[in-house]
CSV table of all heavy atoms in Angstrom, one decimal:
chain,number,residue,atom,x,y,z
A,68,ILE,N,17.4,103.0,10.3
A,68,ILE,CA,16.1,102.9,9.6
A,68,ILE,C,16.3,102.6,8.2
A,68,ILE,O,17.2,103.3,7.5
A,68,ILE,CB,15.3,104.1,9.9
A,68,ILE,CG1,13.9,103.9,9.2
A,68,ILE,CG2,15.9,105.4,9.4
A,68,ILE,CD1,12.9,105.0,9.6
A,95,VAL,N,9.8,111.8,3.8
A,95,VAL,CA,11.3,111.7,4.0
A,95,VAL,C,11.7,112.9,4.9
A,95,VAL,O,12.7,112.7,5.7
A,95,VAL,CB,12.1,111.7,2.7
A,95,VAL,CG1,13.5,111.8,2.9
A,95,VAL,CG2,11.7,110.4,1.9
A,96,GLU,N,11.1,114.0,4.8
A,96,GLU,CA,11.4,115.1,5.7
A,96,GLU,C,11.2,114.7,7.1
A,96,GLU,O,12.0,114.9,8.0
A,96,GLU,CB,10.6,116.3,5.2
A,96,GLU,CG,11.1,116.9,3.9
A,96,GLU,CD,10.1,118.0,3.4
A,96,GLU,OE1,9.1,118.3,4.0
A,96,GLU,OE2,10.4,118.5,2.3
A,97,HIS,N,10.0,114.1,7.3
A,97,HIS,CA,9.7,113.6,8.6
A,97,HIS,C,10.7,112.7,9.2
A,97,HIS,O,11.1,112.8,10.4
A,97,HIS,CB,8.3,112.9,8.6
A,97,HIS,CG,7.1,113.8,8.4
A,97,HIS,ND1,6.9,115.1,8.7
A,97,HIS,CD2,6.0,113.5,7.7
A,97,HIS,CE1,5.9,115.5,8.2
A,97,HIS,NE2,5.2,114.7,7.6
A,98,ILE,N,11.1,111.8,8.4
A,98,ILE,CA,12.1,110.7,8.8
A,98,ILE,C,13.4,111.3,9.0
A,98,ILE,O,14.0,111.0,10.1
A,98,ILE,CB,12.1,109.5,7.7
A,98,ILE,CG1,10.9,108.7,7.8
A,98,ILE,CG2,13.3,108.7,7.8
A,98,ILE,CD1,10.7,107.8,6.7
A,99,VAL,N,13.9,112.2,8.2
A,99,VAL,CA,15.2,112.8,8.4
A,99,VAL,C,15.2,113.6,9.8
A,99,VAL,O,16.1,113.6,10.5
A,99,VAL,CB,15.6,113.8,7.3
A,99,VAL,CG1,16.7,114.6,7.5
A,99,VAL,CG2,15.9,112.8,5.9
A,100,ASN,N,14.1,114.4,10.0
A,100,ASN,CA,14.1,115.2,11.1
A,100,ASN,C,14.0,114.3,12.5
A,100,ASN,O,14.8,114.6,13.4
A,100,ASN,CB,12.8,116.1,11.1
A,100,ASN,CG,12.9,117.1,10.0
A,100,ASN,OD1,14.0,117.4,9.5
A,100,ASN,ND2,11.7,117.6,9.6
A,101,ALA,N,13.3,113.2,12.3
A,101,ALA,CA,13.4,112.3,13.5
A,101,ALA,C,14.6,111.6,13.7
A,101,ALA,O,15.2,111.4,14.8
A,101,ALA,CB,12.3,111.2,13.4
A,102,CYS,N,15.3,111.2,12.6
A,102,CYS,CA,16.7,110.6,12.6
A,102,CYS,C,17.6,111.6,13.2
A,102,CYS,O,18.5,111.2,14.1
A,102,CYS,CB,17.2,110.2,11.1
A,102,CYS,SG,16.3,108.7,10.6
A,103,ASN,N,17.5,112.9,12.9
A,103,ASN,CA,18.5,113.9,13.5
A,103,ASN,C,18.2,113.9,15.0
A,103,ASN,O,19.2,114.1,15.8
A,103,ASN,CB,18.1,115.2,12.8
A,103,ASN,CG,18.6,115.3,11.3
A,103,ASN,OD1,19.3,114.3,10.9
A,103,ASN,ND2,18.2,116.3,10.7
A,104,ARG,N,17.0,114.0,15.4
A,104,ARG,CA,16.6,114.1,16.8
A,104,ARG,C,17.1,112.9,17.6
A,104,ARG,O,17.5,113.0,18.8
A,104,ARG,CB,15.1,114.3,17.0
A,104,ARG,CG,14.6,115.6,16.8
A,104,ARG,CD,13.1,115.8,17.3
A,104,ARG,NE,12.2,115.1,16.4
A,104,ARG,CZ,11.6,115.6,15.3
A,104,ARG,NH1,11.9,116.8,15.0
A,104,ARG,NH2,10.9,114.9,14.6
A,105,HIS,N,17.1,111.7,17.0
A,105,HIS,CA,17.5,110.5,17.7
A,105,HIS,C,18.7,109.8,17.3
A,105,HIS,O,18.9,108.7,17.7
A,105,HIS,CB,16.2,109.5,17.7
A,105,HIS,CG,15.0,110.2,18.2
A,105,HIS,ND1,14.8,110.6,19.5
A,105,HIS,CD2,13.9,110.7,17.5
A,105,HIS,CE1,13.6,111.2,19.7
A,105,HIS,NE2,13.0,111.2,18.5
A,106,ALA,N,19.5,110.5,16.5
A,106,ALA,CA,20.8,110.1,15.9
A,106,ALA,C,20.7,108.6,15.4
A,106,ALA,O,21.3,107.6,15.8
A,106,ALA,CB,21.8,109.9,17.1
A,107,ILE,N,19.8,108.5,14.4
A,107,ILE,CA,19.4,107.2,13.8
A,107,ILE,C,20.1,107.2,12.4
A,107,ILE,O,19.9,108.3,11.7
A,107,ILE,CB,17.9,106.9,13.7
A,107,ILE,CG1,17.3,106.8,15.1
A,107,ILE,CG2,17.6,105.7,12.9
A,107,ILE,CD1,15.8,106.9,15.0
A,108,HIS,N,20.8,106.2,12.1
A,108,HIS,CA,21.4,106.1,10.6
A,108,HIS,C,20.3,105.9,9.7
A,108,HIS,O,19.6,104.9,9.9
A,108,HIS,CB,22.6,105.1,10.7
A,108,HIS,CG,23.4,105.1,9.5
A,108,HIS,ND1,24.5,105.7,9.3
A,108,HIS,CD2,23.2,104.6,8.2
A,108,HIS,CE1,25.0,105.7,8.2
A,108,HIS,NE2,24.3,104.9,7.4
A,109,LEU,N,20.3,106.6,8.5
A,109,LEU,CA,19.3,106.4,7.6
A,109,LEU,C,19.8,105.7,6.3
A,109,LEU,O,20.8,106.1,5.7
A,109,LEU,CB,18.6,107.8,7.1
A,109,LEU,CG,17.7,107.8,5.9
A,109,LEU,CD1,16.5,107.0,6.2
A,109,LEU,CD2,17.4,109.3,5.6
A,110,VAL,N,19.1,104.6,6.0
A,110,VAL,CA,19.4,103.9,4.7
A,110,VAL,C,18.1,104.2,3.8
A,110,VAL,O,17.1,103.6,4.1
A,110,VAL,CB,19.7,102.5,4.7
A,110,VAL,CG1,19.9,101.8,3.4
A,110,VAL,CG2,20.9,102.3,5.6
A,111,HIS,N,18.3,105.1,2.8
A,111,HIS,CA,17.1,105.5,2.0
A,111,HIS,C,17.2,104.8,0.6
A,111,HIS,O,18.2,104.9,-0.1
A,111,HIS,CB,17.2,107.1,1.9
A,111,HIS,CG,16.1,107.6,1.0
A,111,HIS,ND1,14.8,107.7,1.3
A,111,HIS,CD2,16.2,108.0,-0.4
A,111,HIS,CE1,14.1,108.2,0.3
A,111,HIS,NE2,15.0,108.4,-0.7
A,143,ALA,N,14.1,114.9,-5.1
A,143,ALA,CA,13.8,115.9,-4.0
A,143,ALA,C,14.1,115.3,-2.7
A,143,ALA,O,14.8,116.0,-1.8
A,143,ALA,CB,12.4,116.4,-4.1
A,144,ALA,N,13.7,114.0,-2.5
A,144,ALA,CA,13.9,113.3,-1.2
A,144,ALA,C,15.5,113.2,-1.1
A,144,ALA,O,16.0,113.4,0.0
A,144,ALA,CB,13.3,112.0,-1.2
A,145,GLU,N,16.3,112.7,-2.2
A,145,GLU,CA,17.7,112.6,-2.1
A,145,GLU,C,18.3,113.9,-1.5
A,145,GLU,O,19.2,114.0,-0.7
A,145,GLU,CB,18.4,112.2,-3.5
A,145,GLU,CG,17.9,110.8,-3.9
A,145,GLU,CD,18.8,110.5,-5.1
A,145,GLU,OE1,19.7,111.2,-5.4
A,145,GLU,OE2,18.5,109.3,-5.7
A,146,GLN,N,17.8,115.0,-2.2
A,146,GLN,CA,18.4,116.4,-1.9
A,146,GLN,C,18.2,116.8,-0.5
A,146,GLN,O,19.0,117.4,0.1
A,146,GLN,CB,17.9,117.4,-3.0
A,146,GLN,CG,18.5,117.1,-4.4
A,146,GLN,CD,17.8,118.0,-5.5
A,146,GLN,OE1,16.6,118.4,-5.2
A,146,GLN,NE2,18.5,118.2,-6.6
A,147,TYR,N,16.9,116.5,0.0
A,147,TYR,CA,16.7,116.9,1.3
A,147,TYR,C,17.6,116.1,2.3
A,147,TYR,O,18.2,116.7,3.3
A,147,TYR,CB,15.1,116.5,1.7
A,147,TYR,CG,14.7,117.1,3.1
A,147,TYR,CD1,14.2,118.3,3.2
A,147,TYR,CD2,15.0,116.3,4.2
A,147,TYR,CE1,13.9,119.0,4.4
A,147,TYR,CE2,14.6,116.8,5.5
A,147,TYR,CZ,14.1,118.1,5.5
A,147,TYR,OH,13.7,118.7,6.9
A,148,ILE,N,17.8,114.9,2.1
A,148,ILE,CA,18.7,114.0,2.9
A,148,ILE,C,20.1,114.7,2.9
A,148,ILE,O,20.7,114.9,4.0
A,148,ILE,CB,18.7,112.6,2.4
A,148,ILE,CG1,17.3,111.9,2.7
A,148,ILE,CG2,19.9,111.8,3.2
A,148,ILE,CD1,17.2,110.6,1.9
A,149,GLN,N,20.7,114.9,1.7
A,149,GLN,CA,22.0,115.5,1.6
A,149,GLN,C,22.1,116.7,2.3
A,149,GLN,O,23.2,117.1,2.7
A,149,GLN,CB,22.5,115.4,0.2
A,149,GLN,CG,22.4,114.0,-0.4
A,149,GLN,CD,22.9,114.0,-1.9
A,149,GLN,OE1,24.0,114.1,-2.3
A,149,GLN,NE2,21.9,113.8,-2.8
A,150,ARG,N,21.1,117.5,2.2
A,150,ARG,CA,21.2,119.1,2.8
A,150,ARG,C,20.9,119.1,4.3
A,150,ARG,O,21.4,119.9,5.0
A,150,ARG,CB,20.2,119.9,2.1
A,150,ARG,CG,20.6,120.2,0.7
A,150,ARG,CD,19.6,121.1,0.0
A,150,ARG,NE,19.8,121.2,-1.4
A,150,ARG,CZ,18.9,121.2,-2.4
A,150,ARG,NH1,17.6,121.2,-2.1
A,150,ARG,NH2,19.2,121.3,-3.6
A,151,HIS,N,20.2,118.0,4.9
A,151,HIS,CA,19.6,118.2,6.2
A,151,HIS,C,19.9,117.1,7.2
A,151,HIS,O,19.8,117.3,8.4
A,151,HIS,CB,18.2,118.4,6.2
A,151,HIS,CG,17.7,119.6,5.4
A,151,HIS,ND1,17.8,121.0,5.9
A,151,HIS,CD2,17.1,119.8,4.2
A,151,HIS,CE1,17.3,121.8,5.0
A,151,HIS,NE2,16.9,121.2,4.0
A,152,ALA,N,20.3,115.9,6.6
A,152,ALA,CA,20.6,114.8,7.6
A,152,ALA,C,21.9,115.1,8.4
A,152,ALA,O,22.9,115.3,7.8
A,152,ALA,CB,20.6,113.5,6.8
A,153,THR,N,21.8,115.0,9.6
A,153,THR,CA,23.0,115.3,10.6
A,153,THR,C,23.4,113.8,11.1
A,153,THR,O,24.6,113.8,11.6
A,153,THR,CB,22.6,116.2,11.7
A,153,THR,OG1,21.5,115.7,12.5
A,153,THR,CG2,22.3,117.6,11.1
A,154,ALA,N,22.5,112.8,11.2
A,154,ALA,CA,23.1,111.6,11.6
A,154,ALA,C,23.6,110.9,10.3
A,154,ALA,O,23.4,111.5,9.2
A,154,ALA,CB,22.0,110.7,12.1
A,155,GLY,N,24.1,109.8,10.3
A,155,GLY,CA,24.6,109.2,9.0
A,155,GLY,C,23.6,108.8,8.0
A,155,GLY,O,22.4,108.5,8.5
A,156,TRP,N,23.9,108.8,6.8
A,156,TRP,CA,22.9,108.5,5.8
A,156,TRP,C,23.5,107.8,4.6
A,156,TRP,O,24.7,108.1,4.2
A,156,TRP,CB,22.2,109.7,5.3
A,156,TRP,CG,23.0,110.8,4.7
A,156,TRP,CD1,23.5,111.8,5.3
A,156,TRP,CD2,23.4,110.8,3.3
A,156,TRP,NE1,24.2,112.5,4.5
A,156,TRP,CE2,24.2,111.9,3.2
A,156,TRP,CE3,23.2,110.0,2.2
A,156,TRP,CZ2,24.8,112.3,2.0
A,156,TRP,CZ3,23.9,110.4,1.0
A,156,TRP,CH2,24.7,111.6,1.0
A,157,ALA,N,22.8,106.9,3.9
A,157,ALA,CA,23.2,106.3,2.7
A,157,ALA,C,22.0,106.4,1.9
A,157,ALA,O,20.8,106.1,2.3
A,157,ALA,CB,23.7,104.8,2.8
A,158,ILE,N,22.1,106.7,0.5
A,158,ILE,CA,21.1,106.6,-0.5
A,158,ILE,C,21.4,105.5,-1.4
A,158,ILE,O,22.5,105.4,-2.0
A,158,ILE,CB,21.1,107.9,-1.2
A,158,ILE,CG1,20.5,109.1,-0.3
A,158,ILE,CG2,20.1,107.8,-2.5
A,158,ILE,CD1,20.7,110.5,-0.9
A,218,ALA,N,27.0,102.6,6.0
A,218,ALA,CA,27.5,103.2,4.9
A,218,ALA,C,27.1,104.7,4.7
A,218,ALA,O,26.0,105.0,5.2
A,218,ALA,CB,27.0,102.4,3.6
A,219,GLN,N,28.0,105.5,4.2
A,219,GLN,CA,27.8,106.9,4.0
A,219,GLN,C,27.9,107.4,2.6
A,219,GLN,O,28.9,107.0,2.0
A,219,GLN,CB,28.8,107.7,4.9
A,219,GLN,CG,28.6,109.2,4.8
A,219,GLN,CD,27.3,109.7,5.5
A,219,GLN,OE1,26.8,109.2,6.5
A,219,GLN,NE2,26.6,110.8,5.0
A,220,GLY,N,26.8,107.9,2.0
A,220,GLY,CA,26.9,108.5,0.6
A,220,GLY,C,26.0,107.7,-0.3
A,220,GLY,O,25.0,107.1,0.2
Side-chain angles (χ1 to χ4, degrees):
I68 180 170
V95 173
E96 293 168 358
H97 295 327
I98 285 171
V99 168
N100 296 340
C102 286
N103 291 350
R104 281 192 288 270
H105 305 289
I107 300 168
H108 190 96
L109 170 61
V110 175
H111 173 78
E145 290 191 8
Q146 291 170 336
Y147 189 89
I148 292 165
Q149 295 177 78
R150 288 178 190 144
H151 299 286
T153 55
W156 58 267
I158 291 169
Q219 179 67 35

